[in-house]
Amino acid sequence: IPPPPPCLRRENAAPLTTDNILNLFRKGCFRNNHIFRLDRGFVAQVQSVSKTNSRGEISDECDHLGRQRVPLEPSPIRHVPGVLSMGRSEDRNSGTSSFSMLLGKAPHLDNEYTIFGKVVSGVEILRYLEAVTEVKQQGIFVMPKKRITIVDAGVGSLATLSAPPREL
């Protein structure tokens, strides 16, 4: 894997968010989590890490770490396909552990949501998610009808996924 462009290096963009997410990945906190939002051409969003959102065993440590808040870290990086962007509530400083993988351009998110990485390997997973057609509208979210579980996830120099998610 080639090194990330300077604008996406951890020391240049979103160091607090990046450290938070990498810590969660290293501790295995995203195992058995799922993609709860799947809006074609927009985002695939990973559920926040917590005991109430997990179907598998989640440690007390992951539950605690998954609820840690990180502030907005705006940057000049744009929301384009493959970008990893922190989820949050209406409070701009409420990011915890939910994040989105951008499936399309979303300029309305620029400087409103923290970008902390980009998919550099496993782009086929984004294509897989984009091809899921069994979705339902629930409130303001478009959600997959069947749970898309993250069986395992790890990190290299940047967060990458290594296999298409399985539907249960």
Side-chain angles (χ1 to χ4, degrees), residues 20 23-24 49 61-71 86 93-98:
N20 181 58
N23 190 34
L24 289 162
V49 173
E61 179 183 29
C62 284
D63 185 57
H64 174 73
L65 292 171
R67 296 172 191 272
Q68 297 297 308
R69 289 173 63 124
V70 291
M86 182 58 96
N93 296 308
S94 64
T96 57
S97 55
S98 178

Side-chain angles (χ1 to χ4, degrees), residues 116-128:
F116 63 88
K118 183 172 175 77
V119 175
V120 294
S121 176
V123 176
E124 66 276 2
I125 293 169
L126 297 180
R127 287 193 295 269
Y128 170 86

Side-chain angles (χ1 to χ4, degrees), residues 75-123:
S75 74
I77 302 167
R78 301 289 174 231
H79 282 80
V80 296
V83 157
L84 304 176
S85 180
M86 182 58 96
R88 63 170 176 80
S89 67
E90 289 182 22
D91 177 354
R92 291 167 48 105
N93 296 308
S94 64
T96 57
S97 55
S98 178
F99 66 92
S100 295
M101 297 172 282
L102 273 285
L103 302 174
K105 291 181 181 180
H108 63 285
L109 301 180
D110 293 346
N111 293 309
E112 297 294 323
Y113 290 80
T114 301
I115 293 174
F116 63 88
K118 183 172 175 77
V119 175
V120 294
S121 176
V123 176

Side-chain angles (χ1 to χ4, degrees), residues 24 29 32 36 39 46 52-53 65 100 114 129 134 146 165:
L24 289 162
C29 298
N32 295 316
F36 82 92
D39 202 338
V46 175
T52 56
N53 294 327
L65 292 171
S100 295
T114 301
L129 293 170
E134 293 292 314
K146 295 180 182 176

Side-chain angles (χ1 to χ4, degrees), residues 16 30 49:
L16 298 174
F30 287 102
V49 173

